[in-house]
Amino acid sequence: MSTPATKPHVAVLLGGWSAEREISLVSGNACADALLRGGHRVTRIDAGRDLAQRLVDTRADVVFNALHGRWGEDGCVQGLLEVAGLPYTHSGVLASALAMNKPAAKRIFADAGLPCAESLVVTRAMVAAGHVMAPPYVIKPLAEGSSVGVRIVRANDNAPPGAQMADWPYGEEVMVERFVPGRELTVAVLDGEPLATLEIRPDAGEFYDWSAKYAPGGSRHLLPAPIAKRAYDEAMAIAAGAHRALGCRGVTRADLRYDDTAGEPGRLYLLEVNTQPGMTPTSLVPEIAAWRGMDFDTLVSWIVEDATCPR
């Protein structure tokens, strides 16, 4: 454990230019404040195209990567930090790139025997022209986080989502995934250990969208998740298995759907792994860690110390 005299100088990367910039600013500032309270010297860097020079000028000992979304979470900035020889938090280049690319991650999960919903990758034009899968199904960008761009086509939607796809800004390819009814679950994983399974109940419907994630009161969190013990334990095992299959390190969060519409115990489906979970006042990983006895400042400190451990 570092003593106050030897605690490293931490550069906290926040902001950036992805669709999740505003959330990253909140996460990054919360983590920077926690590190200051813990006696670290902290430099906040609103990441731009000049990031490499900013890092040289800062001369930090370790980088806390609080960027969310493309570029900051998909292996790109991780590669820059590898070239610079700087220790950094969360997962490495390959794990970050795989986790961010939903179809690639699902192939890894399938090879590891982890349960996922049926999905396919098609063009935006195909989605607009007709149902490529029997409704209900979910339309997702291939590589975005925080439910950015996610749209649900309901069972009673007779027409394909043509108008919805006209302004689609996330590339020409789209992932279409079978909609799984039931509950929304998430599991925090710390250093390979699943901490707890939490149920999320969005107040405005069944979909845990951007507003439900980040707006105060947008959702209710039930911890531990009130589901059958067998399903609870299975969710923990799936999350740990996904963390391991992708080669993640540090802290991650696995999101799952739990179809209990035919009764308990239901069936679990892994949706994705977030390699840089949010650290905002309404974020799930800090809440789960606190339930396990690790307060926010201790969690942030652990993440920094984990970044400096020999690999």
Side-chain angles (χ1 to χ4, degrees), residues 15 18 25 34 52 69 77 155 161 166 170-171 183 188 191 195 197 206 218 220 230 244 251 259 294 306 308 310:
S18 79
L25 288 170
V77 79
Y170 308 110
R183 310 194 205 185
D191 199 23
L195 298 183
T197 301
E206 60 187 335
R220 291 179 293 135
R230 189 173 81 184
R244 183 169 55 251
V251 62
D259 183 358
M294 178 181 279
D306 178 70
T308 60

Side-chain angles (χ1 to χ4, degrees), residues 190-293:
L190 187 74
D191 199 23
E193 177 195 354
L195 298 183
T197 301
L198 177 150
E199 181 184 352
I200 306 154
R201 292 188 182 174
D203 282 348
E206 60 187 335
F207 174 40
Y208 189 46
D209 60 7
W210 181 280
S211 176
K213 277 182 168 72
Y214 300 119
S219 62
R220 291 179 293 135
H221 302 164
L222 283 68
L223 181 63
I227 59 177
K229 184 180 186 306
R230 189 173 81 184
Y232 186 100
D233 293 343
E234 184 184 355
M236 299 270 276
I238 289 171
H243 180 104
R244 183 169 55 251
L246 293 174
C248 296
R249 70 179 192 224
V251 62
T252 62
R253 194 193 75 233
D255 295 334
L256 306 95
R257 291 288 291 183
Y258 180 52
D259 183 358
D260 63 342
T261 53
E264 290 266 31
R267 187 169 180 183
L268 287 157
Y269 296 87
L270 174 63
L271 298 180
E272 62 185 16
V273 168
N274 188 328
T275 55
Q276 286 171 215
M279 300 289 280
T280 73
T282 58
S283 292
L284 299 164
V285 167
E287 181 177 355
I288 292 171
W291 186 76
R292 283 290 302 268

Side-chain angles (χ1 to χ4, degrees), residues 124-166:
R124 180 176 67 159
M126 291 173 65
V127 172
H131 290 308
V132 297
M133 179 183 292
Y137 57 83
V138 185
I139 301 168
K140 298 181 177 182
L142 299 190
E144 294 285 350
S146 287
S147 303
V148 170
V150 174
R151 300 170 185 182
I152 298 177
V153 177
R154 306 288 177 180
N156 58 355
D157 290 346
N158 296 320
Q164 295 183 43
M165 301 307 293

Side-chain angles (χ1 to χ4, degrees), residues 171-184:
E172 288 305 309
E173 288 191 313
V174 180
M175 189 171 89
V176 177
E177 181 178 74
R178 180 173 64 83
F179 176 77
V180 178
R183 310 194 205 185
E184 191 93 24

